[in-house]
Amino acid sequence: MANINPTASKYADLPYDNPPAVRYLPTTAAYDLWAAHYDHDANFLQALDSLAMKTLFPRLIAHVAKQPDGSPRPTPWKLVDLGCGTGRNTIALLDVPDAEVVAVDASPKMLEVAKGRVGEATKASGRTGEVRFGIVDLLENTEPPHMVQNADALVSTLVLEHIPCETFFRQAAQMLKPGGWLLMTNMHSEMGGISQAGFVDPETGEKIRPKSYAHTPAEVLAAAESVGLVVEGQLEERAVDESLVEALGPRSRKWVGIKCWYGGLFRKVG
């Protein structure tokens, strides 16, 4: 298991301006507080993740369309947004024809925002699909609840940072059908050795941080393989470069040259 919030002394001179006092909270409590501000927080890592999803998501759907023997996968597909947050990826799942979409999160407040966001997007676009929402806490569950079992695909972005690797992949494997697919992205351990998820509470001025793990790509691959989840190709790793700063926002500039993100697709075998 990766160390929690390790110190990376080689980055000690990274420029931080007037850092606020930090308060650590359990993950669910932190995200309950963050929910009202999450979509307006200029989070460059979320922006980087959204850029990567433009290629990862179509690849996922192309794989889900075929069973391991190459024949078409019967519909309706069950697609689970695992750790849906405010519904950023849930809306994309609704665009998949003939799919049953399930969106779950450990934070009730994040789910409230997701329901509102998905409802507004559905009304604005004329989408006819529906989403089943529910509370699922990977840290509390001994096994996944029925609503997320027997899935054809899981989408889980920027969630693994808060879950031990073994716990996350064990439950993801239990959720998937044989031959099912997982799209997973995460904060890179190079960034996690310096910082972690968090936000400034406008009520107190404190930096609120949940518990986080700096999982390395090698640890992720080993934990996935141990439960029969095999990566397609290799994990993609992304650093911030100057060409991305304008798209990601000014908060990304101090991370130029540092790997901040990785992700990929995993298939359940055996």
Side-chain angles (χ1 to χ4, degrees):
M1 183 187 299
N3 291 328
I4 301 173
N5 304 329
T7 300
S9 59
K10 65 178 179 177
Y11 297 119
D13 59 346
L14 200 65
Y16 294 96
D17 298 323
N18 303 317
V22 177
R23 180 158 60 106
Y24 289 91
L25 291 176
T27 300
T28 299
Y31 275 90
D32 276 345
L33 281 177
W34 201 353
H37 316 286
Y38 191 80
D39 288 332
H40 314 287
D41 201 27
N43 186 331
F44 88 88
L45 186 60
Q46 185 180 147
L48 182 59
D49 190 71
S50 292
L51 286 176
M53 287 291 286
K54 291 180 179 180
T55 55
L56 278 176
F57 190 77
R59 282 170 51 199
L60 171 72
I61 300 306
H63 283 304
V64 173
K66 295 181 179 180
Q67 299 192 94
D69 63 3
S71 62
R73 188 182 299 270
T75 56
W77 302 334
K78 185 173 183 177
L79 308 177
V80 176
D81 191 353
L82 179 60
C84 67
T86 60
R88 173 170 57 103
N89 296 318
T90 312
I91 294 170
L93 291 174
L94 272 174
D95 286 332
V96 179
D98 298 318
E100 173 193 356
V101 179
V102 180
V104 297
D105 201 278
S107 165
K109 294 295 185 182
M110 290 295 247
L111 277 178
E112 287 180 13
V113 176
K115 289 176 183 177
R117 183 177 181 181
V118 170
E120 290 175 3
T122 300
K123 183 177 180 180
S125 66
R127 292 177 177 90
T128 58
E130 295 184 356
V131 180
R132 284 197 295 147
F133 291 93
I135 298 289
V136 173
D137 189 336
L138 297 181
L139 295 173
E140 296 293 332
N141 296 332
T142 56
E143 63 179 37
H146 178 74
M147 72 179 301
V148 293
Q149 292 181 15
N150 207 35
D152 293 285
L154 307 176
V155 173
S156 188
T157 63
L158 306 182
V159 172
L160 179 59
E161 175 191 351
H162 305 298
I163 312 291
C165 259
E166 297 81 0
T167 300
F168 177 89
F169 283 104
R170 174 177 52 80
Q171 294 205 42
Q174 291 174 335
M175 295 177 194
L176 285 169
K177 296 177 181 176
W181 288 85
L182 164 67
L183 188 165
M184 184 282 305
T185 72
N186 195 42
M187 177 190 287
H188 200 286
S189 52
E190 191 168 299
M191 180 179 181
I194 308 164
S195 187
Q196 64 177 103
F199 74 104
V200 176
D201 185 345
E203 299 295 326
T204 66
E206 297 173 305
K207 186 79 171 185
I208 304 298
R209 292 201 185 279
K211 186 173 183 178
S212 294
Y213 300 84
H215 300 306
T216 67
E219 290 168 336
V220 164
L221 291 173
E225 187 173 354
S226 72
V227 292
L229 294 174
V230 177
V231 71
E232 180 217 27
Q234 59 186 14
L235 285 180
E236 179 183 353
E237 302 177 58
R238 293 196 179 191
V240 176
D241 61 43
E242 288 287 352
S243 68
L244 288 173
V245 170
E246 183 175 356
L248 301 181
R251 287 172 56 184
S252 68
R253 182 171 298 281
K254 67 184 179 184
W255 296 98
V256 168
I258 296 172
K259 292 179 181 177
C260 294
W261 177 97
Y262 61 82
L265 302 178
F266 298 79
R267 182 169 65 91
K268 182 177 178 178
V269 299

